[in-house]
Amino acid sequence: MINLRQIEAFRAVMIHKTVTRAAQTLYVSQPAVSRLVADLEYYIGFELFLRHKGRLVPTPEALAFYEEVERSFVGLERITETARDIREFRSGRLFICAMPALSISLLPDIVHRFSQRYPAVSISLQAHSSKRVVEWVSTQQCDVGFIGLSFEDPGVEERTMIEAPLKLVMLPNHPLAARQWVRASDLAGEPFISVGQFLDVRPDIDRVFAEAGIKRDLRLETQLSSVACEMVLAGAGISLIEPATAYSYVSRGLAVRDFEPSILFRYSALLPAFRPPSRLATEFIKAVEGP
């Protein structure tokens, strides 16, 4: 049976014209090259070289055989180069889907640095609600997703990235903006913009106020923290939201204050559950996690 080593020996002799040079390039002895070529001749059933005045002369059959060997080696070299590109991230595409807050505040800088590190990789960053991010990851429409709540979905694998407390956002001229810490009891009767009826921390928020016996003015509700911030900017009230969005609105003029008792909010990375994560996605998650 023909094997790759026999073909390599034949090709080396054809290129370098002598067994000596062929042996040097293959890092084997001259007898080993001669044996490989002889075995190849045995299996293919015709002579490849004739000796003429101490030199090896390829037969017409060898020349025809060599043409096919070269075509195969070009394909093999292309495959090898492709594998090298994949291994060294010299090609590829990374599709990232994330909740708006992370798409605006945290990820752009990380994407930029990742792109500088792997300039041949094409990167797409899409902003969607956390629920839509879960859907995209579950249906394998993106390589990795980043969200701020937990969903029970068998199609995704969730990796907790960080937990951080919710923050109160308000206009800087609000009386409570003079304090660094604001307690639940301070919000009695305050116009309150609720975020995310289906958010997994929403029951914790409602429980804190219920236990404190505090009744909020709950006339406004929205699903996105960014929309809540826009409502706060419009003077509609105050809101208790996840910290990434809260701090992204400091430059827009909102005051961000700590809330007591602390309510933790979890940011997670999502990967498709029914396929191994791509190496690019794994490397990107490491970049997000930091050193």
Side-chain angles (χ1 to χ4, degrees):
M1 182 177 180
I2 298 175
N3 61 52
L4 181 59
R5 199 58 173 166
Q6 294 165 357
I7 298 296
E8 288 176 334
F10 164 69
R11 182 172 182 262
V13 174
M14 289 291 292
I15 292 173
H16 300 289
K17 312 301 183 186
T18 69
V19 173
T20 301
R21 287 289 299 128
Q24 291 172 347
T25 59
L26 295 175
Y27 301 100
V28 297
S29 66
Q30 295 180 42
V33 172
S34 297
R35 170 50 57 190
L36 288 167
V37 172
D39 289 344
L40 178 60
E41 288 177 324
Y42 173 78
Y43 284 117
I44 62 179
F46 53 83
E47 286 186 304
L48 295 170
F49 300 98
L50 299 175
R51 286 198 171 271
H52 180 69
K53 296 181 180 180
R55 296 177 60 84
L56 287 179
V57 179
T59 63
E61 293 80 8
L63 293 173
F65 188 58
Y66 178 66
E67 289 183 8
E68 184 60 35
V69 166
E70 277 302 285
R71 281 193 289 269
S72 299
F73 262 82
V74 168
L76 184 60
E77 288 171 355
R78 187 177 297 115
I79 292 171
T80 302
E81 183 66 23
T82 299
R84 187 181 301 114
D85 288 346
I86 294 172
R87 182 179 67 250
E88 299 176 1
F89 302 108
R90 294 193 299 186
S91 67
R93 189 170 189 274
L94 180 63
F95 199 117
I96 306 163
C97 198
M99 61 181 289
L102 298 180
S103 298
I104 295 171
S105 60
L106 174 68
L107 294 179
D109 182 59
I110 297 174
V111 167
H112 173 60
R113 287 187 276 111
F114 195 81
S115 179
Q116 288 182 316
R117 182 180 176 188
Y118 303 115
V121 174
S122 173
I123 304 175
S124 174
L125 173 60
Q126 300 289 325
H128 292 287
S129 68
S130 290
K131 184 177 181 181
R132 178 59 60 86
V133 172
V134 173
E135 292 173 357
W136 277 47
V137 175
S138 177
T139 55
Q140 301 185 21
Q141 296 182 69
C142 65
D143 300 303
V144 59
F146 295 92
I147 63 170
L149 65 159
S150 293
F151 277 97
E152 292 296 328
D153 192 312
V156 301
E157 174 194 337
E158 182 179 356
R159 299 184 183 181
T160 299
M161 304 291 292
I162 190 173
E163 289 187 328
L166 297 179
K167 299 294 182 179
L168 274 171
V169 289
M170 63 194 74
L171 290 173
N173 60 359
H174 192 286
L176 293 176
R179 309 181 186 182
Q180 182 56 46
W181 286 90
V182 178
R183 294 176 174 82
S185 57
D186 298 323
L187 300 181
E190 285 285 342
F192 193 88
I193 303 164
S194 299
V195 177
Q197 183 178 357
F198 303 105
L199 205 63
D200 56 352
V201 294
R202 177 63 180 271
D204 295 329
I205 297 173
D206 294 340
R207 176 181 50 78
V208 164
F209 284 99
E211 290 177 352
I214 302 302
K215 186 175 181 179
R216 294 161 291 166
D217 183 354
L218 300 175
R219 286 178 292 176
L220 298 175
E221 181 177 276
T222 181
Q223 284 302 106
L224 297 178
S225 295
S226 56
V227 176
C229 286
E230 294 294 337
M231 289 182 177
V232 174
L233 281 172
I238 64 176
S239 188
L240 185 60
I241 64 173
E242 43 83 18
T245 300
Y247 285 117
S248 72
Y249 268 80
V250 170
S251 61
R252 296 279 305 278
L254 287 187
V256 178
R257 297 295 180 262
D258 297 321
F259 179 74
E260 194 176 73
S262 179
I263 301 173
L264 291 180
F265 186 89
R266 181 169 69 250
Y267 297 99
S268 301
L270 301 182
L271 292 166
F274 300 114
R275 77 174 192 204
S278 71
R279 294 178 67 242
L280 277 172
T282 301
E283 285 297 309
F284 188 78
I285 289 176
K286 292 178 182 178
V288 174
E289 291 174 332

